[in-house]
Each structure stands twice: as structure tokens, then as C-alpha cells.
Amino acid sequence: MGLDAQVIAVGPFSSEVSSALEYGRDFYVGVEQGATVVTNVFIAGTSDASHQLASAFGVGAMELGRHKLDPEKADISKLIEVFGESNVAQFQCLARSGFSFFYLPNA
């Protein structure tokens, strides 16, 4: 069985983060400032990418119990290598805005 994984973010909505969220700005019209929103940040569709994603945050791919991630410990270079600069810029925007990040393996 293969492994795929994702990092999701949970945090307060604001106009500053709307461009970093999963859906376009139009989907967030009417969402109140400060409302809790959830978004996918990184989606790893292969076992290799899933292991790299976990490693970039200093956790094992199946290290259950370490799902909550510390954005300050992220290996930005590794994330850019695997997911690209645009995706990482979205992550950094959410991190600056107080979002919490969670690693979710799907094995």
C-alpha cells in the first residue's frame, strides 16, 4: 500500500490570507474576519513526496502523535524543492497570520 499525505492549516480568516487559502477569493465573500477556516497547504500524492513532506517538518511519515507541526521548524528549501515557491509562499503567509498546521498521513 502506498502513502500519500497532506498538511492542513486551521486559523482565523482575514483579507490578508484569502489569497493563500485553497479556494479563490470569491468563495470567501461573506466570511467574517476572524472566522475559523481550514485549508490544504501541501498535498503529497506519492510515498516519496509524503516522506519528504514529513521530513521537511522534522517528523516521520507515520509518526502518529506528532501531527501538529511547528512552522518555525520547517525546512523551507526542502519544501520549495518539492512543492514550489508559490505553495511555500502561501504556507508562509498563513504561518505569519497565526494558523496552526497539521500533518495528515493517508496510508
Side-chain angles (χ1 to χ4, degrees):
M1 175 186 257
L3 171 69
D4 59 42
Q6 62 201 56
V7 168
I8 63 170
V10 179
F13 178 78
S14 68
S15 57
E16 291 80 27
V17 302
S18 63
S19 64
L21 298 174
E22 189 169 8
Y23 304 108
R25 290 179 191 251
D26 292 345
F27 285 90
Y28 296 96
V29 171
V31 175
E32 292 183 28
Q33 297 287 310
T36 300
V37 293
V38 179
T39 190
N40 282 305
V41 181
F42 300 111
I43 300 174
T46 67
S47 293
D48 183 54
S50 298
H51 284 277
Q52 290 183 58
L53 175 58
S55 175
F57 283 96
V59 300
M62 289 302 295
E63 193 173 355
L64 304 179
R66 294 209 42 214
H67 294 281
K68 186 163 186 189
L69 303 174
D70 181 349
E72 295 294 318
K73 294 182 178 177
D75 182 336
I76 298 300
S77 297
K78 183 178 277 191
L79 289 171
I80 289 171
E81 180 183 319
V82 177
F83 297 99
E85 290 184 15
S86 176
N87 206 192
V88 173
Q90 292 172 309
F91 161 71
Q92 291 173 314
C93 175
L94 296 172
R96 284 190 306 272
S97 297
F99 275 65
S100 296
F101 299 89
F102 300 89
Y103 175 80
L104 178 60
N106 302 300

